[in-house]
Amino acid sequence: MRLLIIGAMDGQIGAASQIAMARGAKVSIAEDVDQGMEVLRGQGADLVMIDVRRDVHRLIECLESERIVLPVIACGIASDASAAVRAIKAGAKEYIPLPPDAELIAAVLAAVTDENHAIIYKDPRMIQTMKLAEQVAGSHASILVTGESGTGKELMARFIHNKSPRAKGRFVAVNCAAIPENLLESELFGHEKGAFTGAVARRIGKFEEATGGTLLLDEISEMDIRLQAKLLRAIQEKEIDRVGGGQPVKIDVRIVATSNRNLEEYVRQGGFREDLYYRLNVVNLILPSLRERPLDIAVLADHFGRKYAEINGVPARPITPEARQMLVRHSWRGNVRELENTMHRAVLLANGNEIGPEAILLTGAPLGGQQDPVVAQVAQVAQSVMGGNTSGLVGKTVAAVERDLIIDTLSHCLGNRTHAANILGISIRTLRNKLKQYSEEGVPVPPPAGGEPAY
C-alpha cells in the first residue's frame, strides 16, 4: 500500500514511518499540507497520516474540493486529548497516539488495505471459471468480466492482477457507475491546472496512476458513449490526453473491465461502442450466479459467519441444518453480496449456540417476481425488530416506511452511500435515485461522506 505522511520527520513521526515501511508500506513524505497535496496529485496514495500540528482541517477541505477520496489518520502525542478531538472533528477517520505502537499501526494499515480478497468456492461450475481465469491471468490481454451484480467481479479482477506479471504494480479501480458523468473523464485521464473550475493544480488520472499495473473499469457499460471514444483511443494508442492538456502522455496498463449487462446486446441497442467492446473482450470471463453454483452457498455462508463473528466480537456458531436448507433454497437475486448481508444479520440476531432459521432473514421476491428490494427489506426489518408484529407500522404507507428506513440507515452510516446500500441490500444506483427523489420532495437527506457524490 502507498502511505503519505505529512509532518516533520524528526522524532515520533519518523518512527511511525519506519514502522509502516517495515510492514510493507511504500512511504512518501511531505512537510506540510501543500506539499502533501502535490504528492497526491502527482502519484496518489492509499492512506494519509498527518501530524496534528499540521492543519488537518485544511487538508480535509483540499481533498474534498479536488475530489480525492482516501482515509486520513491523525497522529499526535498521546496526552494531547484536545488535539485528537479537533482532528476527528476536522474529518480524520482515526487518531494514533505517539510514541507509535507497531501493532496499532499494523492494524490501521491492514484495515485500510483490506487484503482479504480470497475467492471462496468448491462448486464445479466455479472451479471451471477459476481455471480459465488462472490460465489467462499471465497474459497481457484485456479481460472482460461479466456477471450479475454481487457475483464478485471486482474480486475476480484482483485475482487476475495478483496472478499476472504486473502483480507488483498497482491495482487501481474506477467505478464508472458511481462517478458523475461530468467528472469521470478527469478521474480517468487527469487534468491540467485551470482546465475547469476547481482545477487548482495538475492532477494525474487513474490511467497514469495504474501505469505498470492493472486498471479496473468497474461497470464500464455505465460510461457515456462519448467518453467511450476517448477510452478506445487510450487503449489503442497506449497514451492519454489530460483534460486541458496539449501533450499526450504515454501509459502502460492492463485493462480489466466488468459489466452486469449483456454487452453484446447493449452494443446492438446503441448504448456501447462495438469497436470498444471487441477491444475489451479479448477474453470474457463469465461469473456464474450463486443459483448456478449451489455447492458454494453453504461454504460461503460458513465463511461469512466466521468473518462477522470475529468482526462483532461474538463466538463463531454453526448453522443448523434447517437454516442451511433455507439458504440453499433461496434464489439469491443479489448473489454473494446478498448472502454476505444475510449472514451478517444472522450473526447479530442468532440466539444460543447455533444460527437457526429464526436468524435467517431472506430478502427479495422469488425469481420472476417484481417486488422492490427495498420494500422487501422493510418487511424483513419489521419482522425482526417487532417480532413479526407490524402493528406499529399501521397508518404508514410502504413508501414512507421505505423512506424512513433508507434515511435512518444512511444516518447510521454517517452519510456513506456505499455502506448504506450494502446494509440495505440494494445497488448504489438505486439508493442514489431514491435520495434524489427524497431531496426533490423536500426531505432532508444526510450529506455524503468522504467526497462521494450525493446522487
Side-chain angles (χ1 to χ4, degrees):
M1 72 161 295
R2 298 164 297 156
L3 170 64
L4 170 62
I5 293 182
I6 300 177
M9 287 306 293
D10 55 342
Q12 304 298 345
I13 290 287
S17 171
Q18 293 300 316
I19 292 171
M21 285 190 285
R23 298 285 176 164
K26 296 178 181 178
V27 178
S28 300
I29 308 298
E31 175 66 26
D32 53 30
V33 171
D34 289 334
Q35 288 185 13
M37 290 303 299
E38 288 179 13
V39 171
L40 293 174
R41 295 179 192 120
Q43 65 187 53
D46 301 307
L47 171 68
V48 173
M49 291 175 61
I50 181 171
D51 188 332
V52 291
R53 293 174 296 180
R54 300 300 187 262
D55 193 340
V56 180
H57 184 265
R58 181 162 172 266
L59 171 65
I60 299 296
E61 285 188 333
C62 289
L63 293 175
E64 290 179 351
S65 68
E66 298 191 37
R67 303 183 308 281
I68 300 175
V69 181
L70 78 173
V72 174
I73 309 297
C75 304
I77 302 302
S79 59
D80 193 350
S82 60
V85 171
R86 287 196 303 272
I88 297 298
K89 284 185 175 179
K93 297 296 183 186
E94 299 286 350
Y95 180 84
I96 293 181
L98 301 176
D101 177 85
E103 294 307 314
L104 179 57
I105 288 180
V108 170
L109 296 180
V112 171
T113 54
D114 189 21
E115 294 294 347
N116 184 17
H117 300 305
I119 299 178
I120 309 297
Y121 63 96
K122 68 177 285 187
D123 193 277
R125 177 76 182 272
M126 196 61 184
I127 290 173
Q128 184 180 6
T129 302
M130 294 303 296
K131 283 182 178 177
L132 177 58
E134 190 150 10
Q135 184 177 346
V136 302
S139 71
H140 295 282
S142 297
I143 293 180
L144 178 63
V145 183
T146 55
E148 295 179 8
S149 294
T151 49
K153 295 187 289 294
E154 182 171 345
L155 283 182
M156 178 60 77
R158 289 182 181 275
F159 174 86
I160 292 166
H161 171 73
N162 291 333
K163 293 288 184 178
S164 76
R166 296 171 175 265
K168 292 184 178 179
R170 294 173 182 170
F171 177 89
V172 178
V174 182
N175 189 330
C176 301
I179 301 173
E181 178 186 324
N182 61 326
L183 301 179
L184 184 56
E185 181 178 0
S186 170
E187 192 74 16
L188 288 173
F189 304 115
H191 61 252
E192 298 290 347
K193 180 178 180 180
F196 50 83
T197 303
V200 296
R202 170 187 284 181
R203 178 182 168 190
I204 67 168
K206 298 302 184 185
F207 267 95
E208 288 180 80
E209 196 174 326
T211 289
T214 302
L215 177 62
L216 167 62
L217 299 175
D218 198 17
E219 300 303 346
I220 193 170
S221 53
E222 304 303 312
M223 181 183 292
D224 183 80
I225 199 161
R226 292 168 295 181
L227 187 53
Q228 291 174 25
K230 192 166 184 177
L231 173 61
L232 176 64
R233 178 184 177 277
I235 296 172
Q236 288 177 331
E237 306 299 329
K238 298 188 182 336
E239 64 182 28
I240 54 102
D241 296 308
R242 297 193 191 106
V243 178
Q247 293 294 328
V249 178
K250 289 293 182 183
I251 53 168
D252 172 27
V253 300
R254 183 195 198 165
I255 301 292
V256 178
T258 74
S259 177
N260 59 12
R261 290 180 183 262
N262 181 332
L263 268 187
E264 202 166 351
E265 176 63 28
Y266 200 39
V267 167
R268 286 195 290 268
Q269 295 171 1
F272 201 80
R273 291 181 63 108
E274 185 175 25
D275 45 8
L276 177 58
Y277 170 68
Y278 288 120
R279 276 284 174 182
L280 296 171
N281 192 28
V282 177
V283 178
N284 184 196
L285 286 172
I286 304 173
L287 290 188
S289 67
L290 198 52
R291 301 181 298 279
E292 297 170 311
R293 44 187 284 210
L295 293 184
D296 287 342
I297 294 174
V299 177
L300 286 164
D302 289 334
H303 167 73
F304 291 132
R306 291 190 297 269
K307 171 183 174 180
Y308 287 106
E310 182 179 350
I311 288 174
N312 290 284
V314 299
R317 288 167 283 192
I319 304 170
T320 66
E322 296 81 6
R324 286 184 185 276
Q325 282 299 312
M326 290 177 64
L327 296 173
V328 171
R329 288 196 303 262
H330 189 57
S331 59
W332 300 114
R333 296 172 67 89
N335 292 291
V336 179
R337 186 182 296 123
E338 182 187 354
L339 176 58
E340 180 173 5
N341 291 339
T342 297
M343 290 309 302
H344 193 173
R345 285 194 297 269
V347 166
L348 300 176
L349 296 175
N351 296 311
N353 298 321
E354 297 179 308
I355 295 176
E358 71 284 350
I360 305 295
L361 304 180
L362 300 172
T363 63
L367 284 176
Q370 298 297 319
Q371 188 175 7
D372 187 308
V374 181
V375 175
Q377 180 75 350
V378 171
Q380 295 293 350
V381 170
Q383 290 288 328
S384 63
V385 173
M386 308 180 73
N389 178 14
T390 59
S391 60
L393 303 179
V394 172
K396 291 187 176 182
T397 64
V398 169
V401 176
E402 172 189 298
R403 181 194 62 226
D404 292 345
L405 175 64
I406 290 176
I407 297 297
D408 288 349
T409 302
L410 192 59
S411 298
H412 172 76
C413 295
L414 304 178
N416 190 305
R417 270 67 173 151
T418 303
H419 289 175
N422 286 337
I423 290 173
L424 290 165
I426 60 177
S427 71
I428 187 68
R429 184 174 294 278
T430 297
L431 176 62
R432 289 208 175 100
N433 288 340
K434 297 284 185 183
L435 296 179
K436 186 173 187 296
Q437 173 191 334
Y438 300 153
S439 181
E440 290 171 351
E441 292 171 353
V443 177
V445 172
E452 281 190 310
Y455 311 120

